[in-house]
Amino acid sequence: GLGEELQLGLQVLVRELVQLYEAFANGRSSTLPELTIQYVDFAAWQRERLQGEVLDKQVSYWKEKLAGAPSLLELPADRPRPPVQSFHGARQAVVIPQELTESLRELGESQNATLFMTLLAAFEVLLFRHTGQDDLVVGVPITGGNNPELANLIGFFINSLPVRTDLSGNPTFRELLGRVREAALGAYEHQDLPFEKLVEVSQPERDTSYSPLFQVMCHLDNTGAPALALPGLRLTPLHADTGTSKFDLTLDLVELSTGLKGWLEYSTDLFDEATIQRLSERFQVLLKAAV
């Protein structure tokens, strides 16, 4: 979720940097408009809105949705889970070619589902095949700052939602996609409850060795990378690996004109590079089978 928030914030930052640099290079003063609202205004609005009947509706939905949910997704690991989550991690590149991406998009559209829902359904099949668990909770980041007034504001507008899907009964992929669609839409409709409140409401079994509610996340960024072009300068992006992983496993993809590109971010406490490489290859096989 934080990755998407940084991406959205970077788009604002890059846009303003380009405007300021071009003005400076041409001897002009700043052309940036004054912000109509500040982040504190958004925070106040969010707090004001989330009370009374609105709060009760959100709380009752999530209490029902998460009742009896498994506390841990037990992916077969290369090493025992340490008693305290260290957040040490690494990334494995994932590339999904344009032709396969378009086929996945068309499959989704035939079921009134988005490309993200189709990817999430396939990812859940992968998780089910490796765990045998047919009651899955996967984290999905969602941006709550879609108000036009917030377009030029940098701030934390992201929330993480647990999407719970029932994979029992050996469904076809299309049937599963329908279930994922309903689960995701239900979560989107009740996205206002902050993650901390979600944990409080569901009262999961707490354990320092893994994150509450979900340990696996799936994310698709379709906003694209911000283009940075400054007059008289040649710029090259540097991609840095932070050496961290917020969860046991995260599928993080970006939609480009050439298809989908991204990575599987994984906990190095649990998994070897070769294990994640195999997981990535199996995911590609599943995607091809799905279409």
Side-chain angles (χ1 to χ4, degrees):
L2 187 56
E4 183 176 6
E5 195 59 71
L6 286 169
Q7 185 79 355
L8 293 168
L10 272 174
Q11 288 180 341
V12 177
L13 187 68
V14 165
R15 187 170 64 241
E16 294 192 351
L17 176 62
V18 169
Q19 282 181 265
L20 287 170
Y21 188 87
E22 286 179 344
F24 175 79
N26 291 300
R28 301 195 310 267
S29 57
S30 167
T31 55
L32 294 181
E34 290 293 319
L35 290 172
T36 54
I37 62 170
Q38 299 290 332
Y39 182 77
V40 67
D41 298 311
F42 167 77
W45 169 82
Q46 189 181 47
R47 175 168 289 193
E48 201 173 283
R49 184 170 178 273
L50 198 61
Q51 54 188 336
E53 193 180 328
V54 173
L55 177 62
D56 292 343
K57 186 182 172 189
Q58 297 266 334
V59 166
S60 62
Y61 171 83
W62 286 111
K63 269 188 175 175
E64 182 184 345
K65 179 55 66 177
L66 297 173
S71 57
L72 177 63
L73 181 66
E74 300 192 50
L75 282 164
D78 296 303
R79 284 171 293 285
R81 185 180 293 274
V84 178
Q85 190 178 3
S86 77
F87 303 102
H88 296 150
R91 290 175 174 179
Q92 178 81 239
V94 175
V95 178
I96 300 170
Q98 187 176 12
E99 188 179 344
L100 180 54
T101 301
E102 288 310 314
S103 297
L104 289 164
R105 194 192 312 278
E106 287 166 16
L107 173 59
E109 286 172 356
S110 73
Q111 305 298 301
N112 293 316
T114 62
L115 175 61
F116 171 71
M117 292 171 186
T118 310
L119 289 164
L120 176 57
F123 190 47
E124 290 189 356
V125 173
L126 183 74
L127 298 174
F128 166 70
R129 292 275 178 88
H130 283 81
T131 63
Q133 292 175 241
D134 57 17
D135 185 358
L136 294 180
V137 183
V138 176
V140 170
I142 190 162
T143 309
N146 290 327
N147 187 319
E149 282 188 295
L150 306 176
N152 295 316
L153 201 59
I154 294 175
F156 194 75
F157 304 114
I158 280 285
N159 195 16
S160 297
L161 302 176
V163 174
R164 185 181 184 185
T165 312
D166 174 15
L167 282 81
S168 64
N170 195 27
T172 65
F173 187 78
R174 286 176 188 272
E175 287 171 342
L176 176 60
L177 183 50
R179 295 182 193 182
V180 168
R181 178 181 178 274
E182 293 307 308
L185 289 175
Y188 296 161
E189 286 170 18
H190 301 84
Q191 64 176 272
D192 293 333
L193 208 63
F195 180 77
E196 310 78 50
K197 193 75 176 173
L198 275 169
V199 174
E200 187 184 310
V201 162
S202 62
Q203 295 183 317
E205 184 182 323
R206 299 305 296 269
D207 193 311
T208 57
S209 66
Y210 57 83
S211 58
L213 299 189
F214 52 81
Q215 298 80 43
V216 171
M217 192 167 238
C218 184
H219 171 233
L220 172 64
D221 176 13
N222 54 15
T223 59
L228 180 54
L230 300 177
L233 296 178
R234 187 173 72 247
L235 303 157
T236 307
L238 295 176
H239 299 285
D241 187 345
T242 61
T244 62
S245 180
K246 295 177 283 298
F247 299 97
D248 290 359
L249 187 67
T250 299
L251 175 64
D252 203 342
L253 296 171
V254 180
E255 195 172 346
L256 304 169
S257 58
T258 53
L260 298 170
K261 194 173 182 181
W263 52 76
L264 278 168
E265 183 179 274
Y266 61 97
S267 166
T268 48
D269 285 341
L270 301 176
F271 306 111
D272 291 331
E273 184 181 354
T275 301
I276 301 301
Q277 179 62 46
R278 287 194 297 273
L279 207 63
S280 177
E281 289 166 2
R282 288 167 188 163
F283 183 56
Q284 296 273 359
V285 170
L286 275 171
L287 292 175
K288 289 169 188 170
V291 299

